[in-house]
Structures are given as structure tokens and as C-alpha cells.
Amino acid sequence: MALINPSILSADFARLAEEAKAVEGADWLHVDVMDNHFVPNLTLGVPVVESLSRATRTPLDLHLMIEDPDCWAPQYIEAGAGSVTFHVEAAAAPVRLAREIRAKGARASMALKPATPIEPYEDLLPELDMLLIMTVEPGFGGQAFLDIMLPKIRRTRELISRHGLELGLQVDGGVSAETIERCAEAGADVFVAGSAVYGADDPAKAVRDLREKAEAATAAAGWGRGCAH
């Protein structure tokens, strides 16, 4: 099953509650948290996430593009996050952090920048509920999809299958109607889409169309196990 997570980064920040409601058919609402240190941009903090969690029935998928996620992740769970993604490049103790996130009742997810290989972190996979492969350099929305990430997605799917894990494989960056099928064929099953959803005339229909394309590509590729994350 393909999961579509619209990115609130591409929404109108003056109308966040309305923008969240516009995509309530989505599986998760993806929230990018940036600190202007780990990445060169500054976005939402804990109080805004807390308000957003009260304004929507869609669970929040937090992506922490920040320094010291070991300190901040628990605070975002308390603010209402149902899933928290930290960057392995920023985490001091990724295994401990993943276990703490799970212990606090949220899904634990780890993100890798485009230049970060997956292979050194193979042994960490059982500690996670999801793995995020960045398909652009993190920090800004609206970037073009990096096709060179497709082999990395395939290698990651092979590792997940080899270990028999029920682990979501998320992609984030340049995901659109033109690129989602390639991502799904390579092995991704969770898709963050920003401008492809919020730039559409009907965001809810855009979510449905993206899911349909991803699921068709997954079925054609034959790797899907039909599990939901």
C-alpha cells in the first residue's frame, strides 16, 4: 500500500489549519522542521506543531532537519507528532534516539541525505519504523528530483527485504506525478509530496492520483508485500 504524505512546507502558512483540512484524505501530514543550522532555512517550531496537531485529524509526520535531534525529538512527540524522523548525520546516538521515540509512543524514522550511503546503517534498521531517503538536498521545497537516488532506493529496499522487516521506505524531494512511479518501482512505499499536492487546483484529488500511480507502479514492479505502515 502506497502512503501519501503531503508536505505542509508547500502550503500557505497563513492558513495552516485550512491547508491541513484540504488533504485529510492523505495518510500523514508531513511537517518539515528546520533550524537554519543543519539546513539553511528556518521553519516551524514546537508551538506551531502543537497547534497544527489540534487542527487536523491527519497524523503528523515530523521531519527534523535540525541539530541535536536527540534533545528535540521528545518535545515534538509531546506536541503531537505521531512519527518523528531524525537525520543520522545530526544524531549523537541514533539507536538510543530511535528507542526513545518508540518508547514515547511515536514511530521512529531515520533520514539520510543524498550523499549518505545506507550500507553502514544496515544493523540499525530493526530499530526503525521507517527510513527516509532524501531525493533532494534537504533545506528547501520545490527542488528537482535527483534521479541518481533511484539505485540507493533499490539497495535500501533489498536490505529491508533481506532482513524481513516491516519498514516503511519514504522518499522526499521532487516527488510528483512525473517521478512517483520511478520511486515506487525502485522500492519506495511512502511518498512526501509538496508542490505536487498544494500546487494543484484540488489537493485532495492530487493525493488520490499520486497514490494510484504509486500503487500501479508497485504492482508492476512486483516487490510490494501489500503491507501498510
Side-chain angles (χ1 to χ4, degrees):
M1 177 180 175
L3 304 186
I4 306 299
N5 299 11
S7 173
I8 204 76
L9 184 66
S10 295
D12 181 350
F13 275 25
R15 302 169 51 247
L16 283 184
E18 296 170 52
E19 296 282 66
K21 285 183 170 60
V23 294
E24 284 193 336
D27 300 286
W28 294 77
L29 188 63
H30 190 81
V31 182
D32 288 310
V33 177
M34 308 183 196
D35 64 357
N36 202 31
H37 294 285
F38 181 69
V39 293
N41 201 353
L42 184 65
T43 60
L44 311 176
V46 172
V48 177
V49 170
E50 189 172 7
S51 296
L52 189 58
S53 72
R54 293 195 299 265
T56 180
R57 294 173 294 178
T58 308
L60 302 185
D61 171 31
L62 268 287
H63 180 189
L64 303 184
M65 288 176 271
I66 61 176
E67 292 181 350
D68 200 10
D70 307 71
C71 169
W72 285 100
Q75 298 183 49
Y76 281 100
I77 297 170
E78 292 170 9
S83 179
V84 176
T85 299
F86 60 89
H87 269 266
V88 70
E89 301 91 351
V95 172
R96 184 177 64 197
L97 179 54
R99 290 180 178 179
E100 183 176 10
I101 291 170
R102 281 177 158 181
K104 289 186 175 295
R107 301 190 320 164
S109 173
M110 187 173 77
L112 281 68
K113 289 183 176 184
T116 303
I118 179 58
E119 287 78 10
Y121 304 104
E122 180 177 354
D123 292 342
L124 275 66
L125 297 182
E127 303 288 342
L128 303 170
D129 298 294
M130 187 169 69
L131 189 79
L132 168 56
I133 301 295
M134 292 298 300
T135 46
V136 297
E137 288 294 339
F140 293 95
Q143 297 183 63
F145 178 79
L146 294 175
D147 284 280
I148 58 171
M149 291 298 102
L150 291 170
K152 183 177 176 180
I153 296 169
R154 291 192 181 93
R155 294 196 306 273
T156 304
R157 172 54 62 190
E158 290 168 2
L159 288 177
I160 292 170
S161 299
R162 186 184 310 159
H163 290 277
L165 299 172
E166 297 293 332
L167 179 67
L169 179 51
Q170 186 179 63
V171 288
D172 181 2
V175 175
S176 67
E178 289 71 41
T179 61
I180 195 167
E181 291 170 313
R182 278 175 280 164
C183 294
E185 185 278 329
D189 55 2
V190 187
F191 307 88
V192 177
S195 54
V197 170
Y198 281 111
D201 292 334
D202 185 342
K205 182 179 184 298
V207 168
R208 294 193 298 271
D209 291 347
L210 287 169
R211 186 184 289 116
E212 183 178 323
K213 283 179 175 289
E215 291 184 345
T218 298
W223 63 260
R225 298 186 303 279
C227 61
H229 304 292

